[in-house]
Amino acid sequence: YDDPNHPNCLRQVKVVGAPLRGDGSRPANPIIEVTGYDGKSGEKMCTDRPTRSDLWKVQGTVNRNNLEAVIDFSPKGGPSNLKTTFDNGDKSIVFPDGNRWTKVVGGTRNRLPEDMSTLKSS
C-alpha cells in the first residue's frame, strides 16, 4: 500500500483467518496484520530499505462485512481501536483523519527489508 504520509515506505497489509480457539472453533472476525516502516528518524519519505529491526507491526480485527477493521496502533504510540474502512473502488484503506492507503498493483517488494523476501507472522 502507498501511505501519502510516508511516501515510498513499507505498508504491508494481510488479512488472515481468525485464530483457532482451544475448543476447535474460530471467532467470526478475521485478523488484519499491518507491517510497516516509517523511514529514518526525521525524514518524511523513505529513501532506503528497512532492516527487520526497523519494522513495526500492528493487528486488529476485520468486521464480518469485510468493509471495516479496527486496528490497535498502540504499539506505535497510536490509538488502540482505530476504525478504518475499505474502499473497494480504488482498493484503499481509509482512516478517520482522511488518510488513504492505496493498494499498489503488483506489490511493493522493493520496500521489504533486503534480508528477507517475505514477512512472516511472528
Side-chain angles (χ1 to χ4, degrees):
Y1 282 81
D2 276 330
D3 176 357
N5 291 339
H6 297 277
N8 298 319
C9 294
L10 176 67
R11 294 293 184 269
Q12 184 178 56
V13 179
K14 294 181 180 181
V15 176
V16 296
L20 193 62
R21 294 181 180 141
D23 65 3
S25 66
R26 293 185 188 274
N29 298 342
I31 302 296
I32 185 169
E33 296 177 343
V34 181
T35 303
Y37 171 59
D38 292 340
K40 292 180 180 174
S41 181
E43 290 186 7
K44 200 69 172 142
M45 171 187 273
C46 288
T47 56
D48 62 332
R49 292 177 76 164
T51 63
R52 284 179 183 226
S53 63
D54 292 329
L55 301 179
W56 50 261
K57 186 173 184 177
V58 295
Q59 291 187 339
T61 56
V62 178
N63 292 345
R64 287 182 191 211
N65 64 9
N66 291 332
L67 295 177
E68 296 177 347
V70 177
I71 305 172
D72 179 3
F73 275 91
S74 63
K76 358 182 11 251
S80 62
N81 59 349
L82 189 66
K83 185 177 177 184
T84 64
T85 57
F86 299 107
D87 182 335
N88 279 326
D90 65 357
K91 306 295 185 205
S92 63
I93 301 171
V94 183
F95 293 84
D97 65 358
N99 189 14
R100 179 181 293 262
W101 293 2
T102 306
K103 188 170 183 92
V104 176
V105 176
T108 58
R109 291 196 179 278
N110 62 329
R111 298 180 192 175
L112 292 172
E114 290 183 28
D115 59 345
M116 62 196 301
S117 60
T118 61
L119 297 177
K120 296 183 179 182
S121 300
S122 52

